[in-house]
Amino acid sequence: MILPLLVAASFLASAPPLEQVRRQITREYERVGRTAPLDDPALDRAAHAIAERALSQASARAAVPNAIDDAVSDASGFDPAPRAIVIRAAPPSATLAAFLARTDVPSDPASVVGAGWAEDGAHGVAVVLLAQRKISLAPFPRSLPRSGLRQTLSGRFTSPLSRPELLLTTPAGTVRPSALRLDGQAFQGELSFPVEGRYTVELLARGESGPEVVALFHVDVGNLTRPAEASQAAEPATAAAARSQILERVNRLRAQQGIPPLAQDDALGEVAQRYAEQMAREHFFAHVDPSGATVSTRLRQAGVLYQRAGENLGLAEGPLAAEDGIERSPGHRQNLLDPAFTRLGTGLAVETLPDRTQTLLVQILANPQAAPPDARDAGSALWSAIAQKRRGLHLAPLRHSETLDRLALERAQAALAADSVDAPPSRKVEPQVFSALPDARRAAVDLFVTSDVRALPPSRALADPANDVLGFAAIPGNSRRYGADKFWVVVVYASTR
């Protein structure tokens, strides 16, 4: 058995460096029991371009996220944020030896791979790009000669995904959705490019772990001169400084579009921080955690009230690099530019892997809602909400009756005791109204359970212009059917005209 092994080793050593890199990728995936990724021509071209760039600059600079995105897009690829392994050493044989010694290549699952090699006699550079691809995409141009053209984007889902969205960041920095047509697993959408400049195309879809980017690339329209490569911003020394700089960047982005700034929110920040730490600790990256919890679940469990909320996730070697990736993604950028959001909470955590560390960035954007009134203030809050609703309907205000209050309280207590809004009461309220108010001609009762008495359900009685008097009760109580910390609300209306 020794001779065949020696022959195999000799044959491997004599193979070109790029071929040795490819074989090593396959062997490493098979070693850990994972299916080896398939070689992809577009990722090959992108890896070669990065390798050539890394010969004349530091490998870390050649592998920054925006450089990788540009290389993949220029090579007609569309994989969002592929994992990049870049090794640069002298002489070239040291580069190859360093790559062959790595055991972390298969640490992430991947369905496609690209490999590149470059050397100049003094240095060698090996580049590997790994991606988990979930769609197939028909060829799409990365440059158009002039503005005003339309192009069709089409492809198929190869993984169980749903609710796709096609988004476009325009040269002005705004985000524009485009319609998609679905036929089973196939999709097709029309994209228009009305002005010259660089556009970013993104396809989003929902999987088991929530929304995810499944395609991302650039389209240059017109005779553009690509701007000089910007240097990577120095990462801040502390998490507090990172949060401050991220908020400043987001608000600068919003100001460019005439959108009011976001304020930092500590409550949102605590929820975001806990989730960033959970992802780093449990080694996953998704909007839905392994237990099935979403950002809405996390906010609700923390007692954070809001009217609307959105979540952005970023992953890179540092917090500003992660923020850069978020801003380049049309879907994430759409969240940042949503004028309905007024607050931002930021979470940061460092995940330690066998071969590297990476920063997880969580952004929660929301417009908080004031806390609902407590039991002492529930009555006045309910009365104010009803009065406001009547004013909005241009109806005369209602008179308050303490007599009807007593009837409402009795009905609310009975419903709470029965733990049901449908169980018939032992005594109907309407006959009691006629008995208590001899001039009453009609009566109606609303009964509902809510966590906020200001959230009034639709009511015919409230909107009836004939009603001119009311009584109400709002009592706190826990319920096996409706949940804890609820208000049982009864409003009794009567018409005395």
Side-chain angles (χ1 to χ4, degrees), residues 1 28 60 74 136 155 157 183 189 212 222 231 279 287 294 301 320 372 394 479 482 485:
M1 294 298 293
E28 283 297 294
D74 292 345
S136 62
F157 292 111
D183 182 10
E212 54 186 292
S231 58
M279 287 194 293
H287 290 281
T294 65
Q301 290 174 343
L320 295 188
H394 305 289
S479 165
Y482 304 104
D485 299 323

Side-chain angles (χ1 to χ4, degrees), residues 148-234:
L149 299 177
R150 298 177 65 87
Q151 296 290 322
T152 300
L153 182 79
S154 59
R156 294 185 64 86
F157 292 111
T158 57
S159 293
L161 298 168
S162 63
R163 298 167 58 193
E165 298 177 64
L166 182 57
L167 301 171
L168 194 70
T169 299
T170 70
T174 59
V175 179
R176 191 180 72 213
S178 295
L180 268 178
R181 296 186 297 276
L182 294 175
D183 182 10
Q185 293 295 99
F187 59 85
Q188 187 176 84
E190 297 293 325
L191 292 169
S192 61
F193 302 90
V195 299
E196 292 190 350
R198 165 161 282 197
Y199 294 77
T200 301
V201 179
E202 181 177 80
L203 185 65
L204 287 169
R206 267 68 173 176
E208 292 182 355
S209 298
E212 54 186 292
V213 181
V214 293
L216 181 71
F217 58 88
H218 306 301
V219 178
D220 291 331
V221 178
N223 187 19
L224 298 183
T225 300
R226 186 169 292 186
E229 180 183 337
S231 58
Q232 183 78 12

Side-chain angles (χ1 to χ4, degrees), residues 180-308:
L180 268 178
R181 296 186 297 276
L182 294 175
D183 182 10
Q185 293 295 99
F187 59 85
Q188 187 176 84
E190 297 293 325
L191 292 169
S192 61
F193 302 90
V195 299
E196 292 190 350
R198 165 161 282 197
Y199 294 77
T200 301
V201 179
E202 181 177 80
L203 185 65
L204 287 169
R206 267 68 173 176
E208 292 182 355
S209 298
E212 54 186 292
V213 181
V214 293
L216 181 71
F217 58 88
H218 306 301
V219 178
D220 291 331
V221 178
N223 187 19
L224 298 183
T225 300
R226 186 169 292 186
E229 180 183 337
S231 58
Q232 183 78 12
E235 294 290 354
T238 66
R243 290 186 181 91
S244 176
Q245 291 184 40
I246 288 171
L247 178 63
E248 181 181 344
R249 282 183 55 160
V250 171
N251 282 336
R252 186 162 60 244
L253 194 68
R254 289 169 69 94
Q256 291 168 357
Q257 304 299 328
I259 301 170
L262 298 170
Q264 183 170 298
D265 189 287
D266 292 340
L268 295 177
E270 290 178 6
V271 177
Q273 183 62 35
R274 285 196 295 270
Y275 192 50
E277 292 172 356
Q278 180 189 356
M279 287 194 293
R281 182 175 61 253
E282 299 177 13
H283 303 295
F284 72 94
F285 183 72
H287 290 281
V288 180
D289 75 13
S291 72
T294 65
V295 62
S296 298
T297 309
R298 292 186 280 275
L299 289 171
R300 186 170 62 251
Q301 290 174 343
V304 177
L305 301 174
Y306 64 93
Q307 298 175 48
R308 279 189 60 205

Side-chain angles (χ1 to χ4, degrees), residues 63-90:
V64 296
N66 59 345
I68 295 172
D69 285 350
D70 284 347
V72 171
S73 182
D74 292 345
S76 296
F78 58 87
D79 297 294
R83 178 188 166 203
I85 299 174
V86 181
I87 300 175
R88 181 178 184 268

